[in-house]
Amino acid sequence: MLYIGVDLGTSAVKLLLMDENGSIHKIVSREYPLYFPHPGWSEQKPEDWFAQSMEGIRELTAECDKSQVRGISFGGQMHGLVVLDEADHVLRPAILWNDGRTEEETDYLNQVIGKETLSKYTANIAFAGFTAPKILWMKNHEPELYEKIAKIMLPKDYLAYKLSGTFCTEYSDASGMLLLDVQNKCWSKEMLDICGIREEQLPGLYESYEVVGNLKPEIAEKLELGTDVKVIAGAGDNAAAAVGTGTVGDGQCNISLGTSGTIFISSKTFGVDEYNALHSFAHADGNYHLMGCMLSAASCNKWWMDEILKTKEYAKEQEDIVKLGENQVFYLPYLMGERSPHNDPSARAAFIGMSMDTTREEMTQAVLEGVAFGLRDSLEVARNLGIQIERTKICGGGAKSPLWKKIIANVMNLKVDVIESEEGPGYGAAILAAVGCGEFENVESAVDKLVHVVETVEPDTELVEKYEKCYRKFKKYYPALKGLF
């Protein structure tokens, strides 16, 4: 049997075809535009997601036995606001997770409604990228469009709706809307009132591995697939990536080095960080997780390589970096502001410590280390909660760099496990599809069979000590510069 995993990312949709043994038969990627209509804004057209996903599925299944395709599921960029009218027309471009326009609305929620109240209602506080502040922004700045909203959904759920006709979401992705009572897994009536919306405008709630419907006949015909192909709810990209790396159950950790960076800790029990520096979300395995999210991770290296060094030779630029733990140059990785643990949309990136002797390699090294230090900030919050983490899985584009993995292992003093499949969210989505179709009893049993560690990067005691000194220095820079951003 074959299962399709759809990873709806910020720059492209990546689709993979997996069989019941976890083998990946084919991977297809389709890009679409990203729009920045004003400084700090970030938008995409949902129609582009759907068009490219349809083309991608056709290409993905072109050479396989289509009768073997049993199900399709999703891992998707979180927090984006997709709004439809009564006729199911998209009202405006989707406002994405990395959009920073909602500073006033976020301040209103955190300061006027109050962080303690928000945490009581949703287990989280407001961040500029979350969905609820975007709804309030539409209410304040686009009232005519706001009044026409019939359906509010998240990016991957738009795909599920177009494919199946079911207006749905699931708990992991819905957790990032600031509309869900995460502990009780239901919409928060209080938050709906605050945003001025009704429950019928919100999708039905499912577990990530539950079937939401089958392919609509007209969609099945276009894809040349059967109408018995099941559509499974899927998960937010980080929860899907966690499934794809086997980070399920209790006390497991995954670091994702994608456009954004996350540290994801799975838990069988619900818990909230006292200061809400970490997100407390539902997990795709039916349980919960804590997550720290930095808005710019691999995108920092991409910016440095593409825009500043004007090169695509990422690996070559890292070849001569050998003096780990000794760099005098520091980099603050806040190109798009920062979420965990600072919650500061005004924060900006900076290089500190350059001299006449500073080399190109040291600047590149500083970027890689700055991202690792930023992830360490979130790990420290988890450690202060008494959570003991000794090892982590790793995924995302940045995880393809051996040097970056080594830096992370030593900055965080963790054993870093590399998974056989590097396709985190897409692979996790395919696993969820397999579970939903009954191939496995549950998510944990699926990953036990399908996810395999092929390499472990061990921290080096001497390097750990060097990086500990560097991290203590790094921690002082953000507070010192905060007032200048």
Side-chain angles (χ1 to χ4, degrees):
M1 297 301 167
L2 297 171
Y3 303 95
I4 296 173
V6 180
D7 174 11
L8 186 72
T10 312
S11 57
V13 60
K14 185 182 282 188
L15 308 100
L16 64 81
L17 193 63
M18 182 195 83
D19 66 25
E20 71 274 15
N21 296 313
S23 297
I24 297 174
H25 289 227
K26 190 174 181 179
I27 297 173
V28 168
S29 183
R30 293 267 179 164
E31 294 185 352
Y32 31 69
L34 184 62
Y35 300 97
F36 305 103
H38 296 283
W41 291 25
S42 182
E43 298 182 347
Q44 281 177 330
K45 295 178 180 178
E47 299 91 339
D48 290 343
W49 300 333
F50 178 61
Q52 295 306 316
S53 295
M54 289 289 284
E55 288 296 320
I57 293 171
R58 276 194 284 265
E59 183 182 348
L60 188 74
T61 58
E63 297 154 5
C64 75
D65 180 354
K66 293 182 176 62
S67 68
Q68 293 294 300
V69 177
R70 292 273 310 280
I72 180 170
S73 191
F74 317 90
Q77 51 168 298
M78 296 178 68
H79 313 303
L81 176 63
V82 181
V83 285
L84 275 56
D85 65 14
E86 289 284 358
D88 279 351
H89 296 135
V90 175
L91 282 168
R92 66 165 339 279
I95 306 176
L96 302 189
W97 61 273
N98 57 353
D99 187 285
R101 77 185 70 183
T102 63
E103 191 169 350
E104 286 184 13
E105 289 76 17
T106 303
D107 285 345
Y108 165 76
L109 288 168
N110 283 332
Q111 308 305 329
V112 179
I113 302 300
K115 292 181 180 180
E116 193 172 318
T117 301
L118 294 178
S119 186
K120 177 183 173 184
Y121 292 159
T122 71
N124 295 279
I125 61 173
F127 289 82
F130 279 16
T131 318
K134 294 167 185 161
I135 296 170
L136 287 176
W137 184 90
M138 278 194 71
K139 184 179 182 181
N140 294 336
H141 297 273
E142 297 176 344
E144 291 182 5
L145 290 178
Y146 172 85
E147 290 298 329
K148 293 179 181 177
I149 295 174
K151 292 183 176 72
I152 295 168
M153 58 182 73
L154 294 159
K156 75 171 193 329
D157 301 327
Y158 177 75
L159 293 184
Y161 183 57
K162 294 288 284 186
L163 294 179
S164 70
T166 304
F167 183 33
C168 61
T169 190
E170 44 68 46
Y171 298 112
S172 74
D173 213 357
S175 297
M177 296 180 79
L178 204 69
L179 298 173
L180 186 77
D181 176 343
V182 173
Q183 183 174 12
N184 296 302
K185 292 189 172 181
C186 62
W187 296 118
S188 164
K189 290 181 171 54
E190 294 86 354
M191 287 306 301
L192 269 58
D193 289 343
I194 288 167
C195 293
I197 57 176
R198 307 177 308 280
E199 190 163 342
E200 55 263 33
Q201 292 172 287
L202 293 172
L205 290 161
Y206 292 79
E207 291 287 359
S208 295
Y209 47 81
E210 288 185 324
V211 176
V212 301
N214 289 6
L215 288 180
K216 293 191 294 186
E218 62 270 28
I219 295 294
E221 184 179 354
K222 288 179 181 177
L223 296 176
E224 298 180 359
L225 295 173
T227 53
D228 59 343
V229 173
K230 291 178 169 53
V231 178
I232 289 84
D237 52 5
N238 292 298
V243 172
T245 59
T247 311
V248 300
D250 209 32
Q252 300 295 308
C253 182
N254 181 56
I255 289 172
S256 176
L257 277 180
T259 303
S260 61
T262 59
I263 179 163
F264 184 111
I265 301 167
S266 63
S267 175
K268 288 195 172 181
T269 56
F270 172 79
V272 179
D273 151 38
E274 180 183 359
Y275 300 104
N276 294 108
L278 301 180
H279 306 327
S280 180
F281 287 173
H283 192 6
D285 62 358
N287 296 310
Y288 297 94
H289 72 269
L290 290 172
M291 183 174 72
C293 177
M294 56 188 301
L295 294 178
S296 303
S299 54
C300 287
N301 194 43
K302 179 177 171 59
W303 162 79
W304 175 245
M305 294 292 166
D306 295 0
E307 301 299 327
I308 308 303
L309 299 187
K310 305 292 185 184
T311 179
K312 293 290 185 181
E313 300 288 339
Y314 289 23
K316 187 176 180 181
E317 289 292 334
Q318 297 177 16
E319 285 177 355
D320 295 328
I321 296 174
V322 291
K323 294 183 179 179
L324 298 186
E326 300 175 20
N327 198 0
Q328 298 303 306
V329 181
F330 288 81
Y331 170 75
L332 302 188
Y334 311 137
L335 289 174
M336 299 286 292
E338 190 54 299
R339 194 180 291 177
S340 304
H342 303 308
N343 191 16
D344 185 358
S346 299
R348 286 297 175 263
F351 282 103
I352 298 168
M354 291 87 75
S355 70
M356 287 293 288
D357 299 323
T358 296
T359 65
R360 178 181 180 125
E361 289 78 18
E362 287 170 336
M363 300 284 280
T364 300
Q365 180 178 340
V367 172
L368 304 180
E369 290 171 339
V371 172
F373 291 142
L375 289 167
R376 168 83 183 264
D377 280 343
S378 289
L379 179 64
E380 288 304 304
V381 177
R383 283 173 170 161
N384 289 337
L385 291 172
I387 298 171
Q388 299 299 316
I389 302 294
E390 295 182 357
R391 64 194 316 136
T392 182
K393 311 284 180 47
I394 194 165
C395 67
K400 294 177 181 177
S401 163
L403 176 65
W404 216 346
K405 285 183 286 197
K406 184 176 181 179
I407 288 171
I408 286 171
N410 287 284
V411 165
M412 306 184 86
N413 193 17
L414 294 175
K415 296 176 181 178
V416 175
D417 292 326
V418 181
I419 304 304
E420 184 176 22
S421 170
E422 297 177 339
E423 306 301 328
Y427 195 58
I431 291 173
L432 291 171
V435 174
C437 291
E439 192 75 57
F440 301 95
E441 184 179 351
N442 52 45
V443 177
E444 283 194 61
S445 62
V447 302
D448 284 346
K449 180 179 178 183
L450 302 180
V451 179
H452 309 290
V453 174
V454 293
E455 177 196 0
T456 298
V457 181
E458 301 268 357
D460 174 86
T461 304
E462 186 178 338
L463 259 184
V464 168
E465 290 178 2
K466 287 182 178 180
Y467 270 125
E468 187 62 35
K469 293 176 183 176
C470 294
Y471 176 66
R472 285 202 293 268
K473 198 169 182 180
F474 172 86
K475 280 185 69 174
K476 296 177 182 178
Y477 287 130
Y478 170 76
L481 293 174
K482 182 179 179 181
L484 301 177
F485 292 134

